Amino acid sequence: MAAKRGESDGPGDGRRRASARTAGEPLPAQTIPLEEPDDRPFAVIDIGSNSVRLVVFEGLILNPAPIYNERVTCGLGRGVSANGEMGMQTIERAARALTRFAVAAERLGVGQLRAIATAAVREASDGPVFIETAERILGQPIEVLTGREEARLAALGVRAGIHRPNGIAGDLGGGSLELADIRAKSLGETVTLPLGGLRLAETVGTDLQAAKKLIDRHLAEHEWIKAGQGRPFFAIGGTWRAFARLHMTYRGYPLKILHQYRLSAAETMRFASVLLDRPAPMLEEAQQLSKTRLETLPFGALLLQRIVKRVRPSNIVICATGIREGALFERLPKTVRKHDAFLETCRALNARRARLPAYAEDLCAWTDHVMAVSEIEETDELRRLRHAACYMSELGWRAHPDYRSEQSAAMLENAASTSIDHRGIAFLSLVVYYRHEGAVQEGEASIYRALTSQSIERRAQVIGAALRVAHALSFGQPGSLRKKKLVRDGRYLELHLTARDARVSGERIERRHRALARALGKDARVITAG
């Protein structure tokens, strides 16, 4: 595969594979045909310029949870830009990490393992020596990615973690920066640039003005990145996550979730200036960062600043999924990739934890009916969130009633790590509060109210009230909502019940129906046939 203009693949470019596995070595993952079902854990070993990491995912599925994650800072790329090689001491340290990772993967019952190496290995003159050693340890081939392949996997990682992304993805590593024009169903231009944090530190030392000129020169060579104007810039990589974590602390942000944390272009420019011009106020918050992160943080801030100036994106979106998630996502069947990862997660949680999982489908149909009768306009995204609320609404049924709303919201917040943004998490959490409490008192759920608007909270109130009516009508039993219907008649929202349903009518249903009608700006009326 030919490298595109601007790629800096260096020595060892291309994908290397061992001719055969070493007999008796662990992890014979590559002998398992990909088309065969395998519910065992799926592992990725990412050999980067700064660190070597093992992530073991629960399986080869959409939005899998990591069951094990370990990172060893080896600095393979630290000497590459200076003298062209990694050095034996660094290689030996990485080899020790890989030996441990091989044992860990074997003991965790990994079914398939994918090992990938990026900029440092492909550019170093002793890269082939390292690969030979590493493949012997793992007992399987290691993919040395070209710059384009690295950018593609990072873009797939964005697609795995963000619903229908449309913007420029940037993956900042120790040795390189990969940029990709990513849309919901396609991948456009890609490029890899020699602008990794460690590489910049080695090239310019602490001279940020020299770094600025170098960054601007490389960005100016690729006019296509201006296609990101007015679209999000998806920032991937540990340095940019550290930038976002500090910004969260700086502004007192209520959530602690980094994935899909958003900064406006103006906020990004201002905070980058804080880190570059006056780092002292941030030192206390920065104590949580490693020495290597502190070294690369100024370059990460400078890169974001220059990208905002050059590309003019609508905002910066921090993406916690990247090349490792992309390596898994690429192995999924195309039919599976098309599914909505967040809704699949909600369905899976509902199947495992709900009292009666089939009831969630009834709630989806019931709230479809409520939206249609109420004539409330609803985008595809809002409909998606409403259905997610139906799948998640009964997960807290085992909790004590006094804490059911809080525990349900916490469960949702922890589960909603990918494919939903922070505003979506806030909306769903408010639905849960209205579902269990009927109202949200002052001070309750304040962190979620801070992330959304009054109109969206009113929508959450309507959906929560509709779920309360449904529960009163059906007792939470699947199939019990099919003949219940709402009718809008002038200023009234009418609940029509069959003669058989008259036996279940009472104060509880009437009270909850009044609350739903009030949320819709209507008066309530319950009508029983006969």
Side-chain angles (χ1 to χ4, degrees), residues 19 73 90 148 162 205 237 268 315 353 449 452 456 469 514:
S19 58
T73 302
T90 303
R148 177 169 174 75
I162 294 179
T268 303
N315 50 35
R353 298 186 180 181
R449 281 175 157 163
T452 190
I456 292 298
V469 172
R514 280 197 303 271

Side-chain angles (χ1 to χ4, degrees), residues 22-45:
T22 303
E25 291 289 343
L27 306 176
Q30 301 301 317
T31 62
I32 301 172
L34 294 181
E35 63 271 12
E36 291 185 12
D38 188 356
D39 57 0
R40 292 177 293 174
F42 181 93
V44 177
I45 291 179

